[in-house]
Amino acid sequence: MKILSSYQSGLSSFFLEIGEMGKFTGRYFRELFSRPFEFREFLKQCYQMGNKSLLLVSVTGFILGLVFTLQSRPTLMEFGAVSWMPSMISISIVREIGPVIIALICAGRIGSSIGAELGSMRVTEQIDAMEVSGTNPFKFLVVTRILSATCMLPILVIVGDFVALIGSAIIENIKGDVSFTLYFNQVFAALEFTDLLPATVKTFFFGFAIGLVGCFKGYNSKKGTAGVGKASNSAVVFTSMLLFVLDFIAVFITDIFYN
Amino acid sequence: MKSNSAQNIKLGVLIISGLIIFTLGVFFIGNKQNLFGDSILVSSVFKNVNGLQSGNNVRYSGVNVGTVKEIKFLNDTAICVDMLINREAGNLIKNNALATINSDGLVGSMVLNILPSSQAPSPTIKEGDTLASISQVATADMLNTLNKTNENAALLTQDLLKITNSINSGEGVLGDLLKDKTLAKNVQESVENLNETTKSARLGLAKLNGILNNVDYENSVAGLLLSDTSAQKSFSTIIKDLEKTSSQIKGISVDLGEFSNNLNSEKGALNYVLKDSSFVNHLDQSMENIEEATHRFNENMEALKHNILFRGYFRKLERQKARAEKEN
């Protein structure tokens, strides 16, 4: 009975959080199109999220391409289909692995950063001070961050995909004597708009989800400094889960429209 | 302020880099699908497109020259395939070329191949032309054939299994060969004999080869026979004469055979002489009598020499004989 009641309270708090997040999202869209626009803060956040994450994303993408090619190569060789490597790698990376892995990396870096930053501002009452001073903290802190994450994630994913393909091409060049020209010829012959465009569109949603969850968790953090850690941690966990859900929905919709 | 500008520049570089990569990606993908270049729309009608899809490659003599734009039904037996062919390649493709749908390898996607026609020269394709199509063996057809082959192979293996079972149980000649030890021993001996025979034959051939090698083709009789055509003709004549002679000898031997038969038969006198022992005894007795009579005759003649009436005659003969010897 006690377990059941604990499940009930957990479930009700989950739905409560979802509802609050819905309201938070609604407020975001309201504030997004209302003046004044915090353009400088937006650019600053873009720099923080984009440029500061570039190295991490590039290294991750490069290693992803290398490892994926190295691991796939023996199996493809077994079937005598090693010439299909560029096609397979490019479609896998551009369609699915690139966006998801880079979004997860960004969820770890950007989501936790936003959660911790806004959480510490909340617990140290900086947000309350902004409200008192007549500044709209939601517009300044939340809208700029969510919008920056939404805009920068696609850029990071494109760069990450490109670096991953370069990593794969290097391995193919070393192991299989495939020239870069031939590799990228096969990559572009295999890719279609139906691979590139839906994958790019879904990264906007991934970015939005990272920014939204990070901001929501940080903006609503409680219970002092412990709440900051919790906000940061739950932002990463919830964003990661949400990314997979969004990915499933994106794949499902793409499948309906293109097949 | 300065720091903000530097940050913004770096941010701008990142955003522009990302957009350039994305744009290049879109351009290259679109370029592969002939979306940006100048292209010609041509079509071809098929009964079966074998899973061809929009976006599949169009190849002319193995070179990618375009993509399939659209596939639509004309009626229940005809499917129209529209394809975009880049103008540069389109200027080389004649309008009597043939379109066919193949698989790009066993596991590859379908491709539409345009084959150059071997017929009379024809103008190049232009917008809206329809190319003639030919249907080729699809993978499904190949698999069907393969399936039939497999079924036949299964039947064959069943029969083979029966045969091997029969052989294992010792039925038939092959079974005997495998099971019968005596037969196996005989076969082994035969093989050994054959081996020895081949060895002897090999040695014989080697010797013959040696003899042939040692033949003086210019000076010896054999060489003359082998190399001189006139000698060959003479030898041929001799052989013919020998054949004639042998046929004559054959006739003589037949006659001799008949004679011998007659001799052996009871009809001839010789047979009587040779085989009748009483006759031989009579003959022997007669000979003895003749010898005795001759002896008595000699005695009578000797007595006659001493007779007074004939003594002068005999002395006269002795004197003539002595005179003849003296003269010689």
Side-chain angles (χ1 to χ4, degrees), chain B residues 72-323:
Chain B
K72 58 197 174 197
F73 274 105
L74 293 179
N75 54 49
D76 60 338
T77 55
I79 303 159
C80 180
V81 177
D82 290 335
M83 53 196 125
L84 287 169
I85 294 170
N86 67 58
R87 193 166 290 279
E88 198 181 339
N91 290 333
L92 301 169
I93 302 169
K94 312 290 182 204
N95 66 5
N96 62 353
L98 298 167
T100 177
I101 295 166
N102 305 101
S103 169
D104 189 9
L106 269 178
V107 291
S109 56
M110 304 308 287
V111 289
L112 196 150
N113 275 313
I114 298 174
L115 309 170
S117 175
S118 57
Q119 293 171 358
S122 176
T124 55
I125 52 167
K126 55 182 189 298
E127 187 81 15
D129 274 356
T130 302
L131 298 177
S133 66
I134 51 169
S135 62
Q136 290 196 342
V137 179
T139 313
D141 297 332
M142 281 197 290
L143 288 173
N144 281 338
T145 313
L146 206 62
N147 191 31
K148 279 182 186 171
T149 313
N150 280 340
E151 283 171 6
N152 291 338
L155 291 172
L156 279 171
T157 45
Q158 277 180 3
D159 291 344
L160 273 173
L161 191 67
K162 282 178 191 171
I163 291 165
T164 45
N165 283 337
S166 302
I167 291 169
N168 282 336
S169 57
E171 291 173 16
V173 179
L174 282 171
D176 283 345
L177 265 175
L178 289 175
K179 294 279 179 182
D180 193 346
K181 287 181 180 175
T182 321
L183 190 62
K185 201 176 175 183
N186 290 341
V187 169
Q188 195 179 359
E189 282 173 0
S190 302
V191 170
E192 280 171 7
N193 292 336
L194 197 65
N195 196 20
E196 283 177 10
T197 311
T198 30
K199 272 182 189 173
S200 305
R202 198 173 64 224
L203 287 171
L205 282 170
K207 279 180 183 174
L208 190 65
N209 198 24
I211 291 163
L212 286 171
N213 284 335
N214 291 328
V215 169
D216 185 355
Y217 286 96
E218 290 182 357
N219 301 320
S220 69
V221 177
L224 197 69
L225 280 171
L226 290 169
S227 58
D228 191 348
T229 50
S230 61
Q232 285 172 4
K233 282 177 184 172
S234 305
F235 193 72
S236 174
T237 314
I238 291 165
I239 298 285
K240 282 176 185 170
D241 292 344
L242 273 173
E243 279 177 4
K244 278 182 187 174
T245 312
S246 72
S247 66
Q248 285 169 358
I249 289 169
K250 194 179 172 184
I252 291 165
S253 65
V254 169
D255 293 343
L256 276 171
E258 282 178 6
F259 175 72
S260 166
N261 287 336
N262 290 334
L263 201 65
N264 288 329
S265 68
E266 293 175 355
K267 292 174 184 174
L270 274 169
N271 180 58
Y272 186 67
V273 171
L274 292 171
K275 292 199 175 173
D276 193 345
S277 56
S278 61
F279 172 75
V280 173
N281 290 333
H282 286 303
L283 198 64
D284 194 36
Q285 190 64 45
S286 300
M287 289 303 287
E288 281 178 6
N289 292 338
I290 288 167
E291 194 178 349
E292 194 180 338
T294 310
H295 182 70
R296 285 178 182 170
F297 182 71
N298 284 340
E299 280 180 354
N300 291 336
M301 284 304 288
E302 195 64 39
L304 204 60
K305 280 179 186 178
H306 294 90
N307 191 293
I308 193 147
L309 293 173
F310 297 97
R311 192 186 302 163
Y313 171 75
F314 284 106
R315 283 178 181 172
K316 190 183 172 181
L317 284 175
E318 282 175 2
R319 280 194 299 271
Q320 284 176 350
K321 192 177 176 183
R323 200 179 299 135

Side-chain angles (χ1 to χ4, degrees), chain A:
Chain A
M1 201 65 185
K2 209 173 183 180
I3 296 168
L4 195 67
S5 65
S6 74
Y7 273 120
Q8 271 179 344
S9 67
L11 204 64
S12 61
S13 67
F14 173 76
F15 283 121
L16 183 67
E17 199 169 343
I18 296 293
E20 282 176 356
M21 199 177 278
K23 277 172 73 178
F24 191 83
T25 311
R27 190 180 172 192
Y28 162 74
F29 280 110
R30 275 200 308 276
E31 298 282 353
L32 179 65
F33 299 106
S34 65
R35 288 177 182 273
F37 301 117
E38 300 289 348
F39 195 66
R40 275 191 189 164
E41 181 62 16
F42 166 69
L43 287 180
K44 188 187 163 196
Q45 289 304 322
C46 282
Y47 177 78
Q48 290 294 329
M49 291 176 194
N51 290 56
K52 295 283 180 181
S53 308
L54 188 62
L55 183 66
L56 180 69
V57 166
S58 300
V59 170
T60 309
F62 188 73
I63 292 170
L64 174 72
L66 287 178
V67 172
F68 192 21
T69 309
L70 277 171
Q71 295 282 31
S72 308
R73 202 174 163 71
T75 312
L76 286 179
M77 279 179 82
E78 206 172 308
F79 289 105
V82 77
S83 62
W84 287 87
M85 181 73 84
S87 311
M88 193 199 78
I89 296 284
S90 61
I91 290 171
S92 309
I93 285 176
V94 171
R95 266 193 192 179
E96 196 58 41
I97 295 172
V100 171
I101 296 288
I102 290 164
L104 285 171
I105 295 287
C106 290
R109 193 200 168 276
I110 299 170
S112 65
S113 150
I114 295 171
E117 193 180 2
L118 293 191
S120 62
M121 286 177 83
R122 169 63 73 188
V123 296
T124 53
E125 297 178 345
Q126 288 179 54
I127 293 173
D128 298 331
M130 283 174 80
E131 278 176 357
V132 170
S133 67
T135 310
N136 184 349
F138 195 92
K139 187 177 251 313
F140 188 80
L141 298 174
V142 175
V143 173
T144 52
R145 277 167 177 75
I146 295 175
L147 193 61
S148 301
T150 310
C151 293
M152 291 316 292
L153 197 78
I155 302 280
L156 290 173
V157 167
I158 288 165
V159 173
D161 285 355
F162 180 66
V163 174
L165 289 176
I166 286 176
S168 173
I170 288 170
I171 287 295
E172 273 294 279
N173 186 257
I174 293 167
K175 289 263 185 182
D177 289 332
V178 177
S179 70
F180 284 94
T181 313
L182 176 62
Y183 185 88
F184 281 100
N185 249 329
Q186 288 186 332
V187 164
F188 290 117
L191 287 175
E192 292 177 5
F193 287 128
T194 50
D195 301 317
L196 187 64
L197 296 181
T200 309
V201 168
K202 77 180 172 188
T203 55
F204 283 100
F205 290 96
F206 288 172
F208 176 74
I210 291 166
L212 180 76
V213 175
C215 287
F216 175 76
K217 293 286 182 184
Y219 201 78
N220 295 307
S221 69
K222 291 162 192 167
K223 296 175 186 172
T225 50
V228 178
K230 196 185 170 191
S232 172
N233 183 45
S234 60
V236 174
V237 173
F238 193 79
T239 308
S240 303
M241 195 183 73
L242 191 61
L243 285 175
F244 284 111
V245 174
L246 283 173
D247 188 48
F248 168 71
I249 293 167
V251 170
F252 193 70
I253 291 169
T254 309
D255 195 55
I256 290 169
F257 277 99
Y258 290 104
N259 293 315

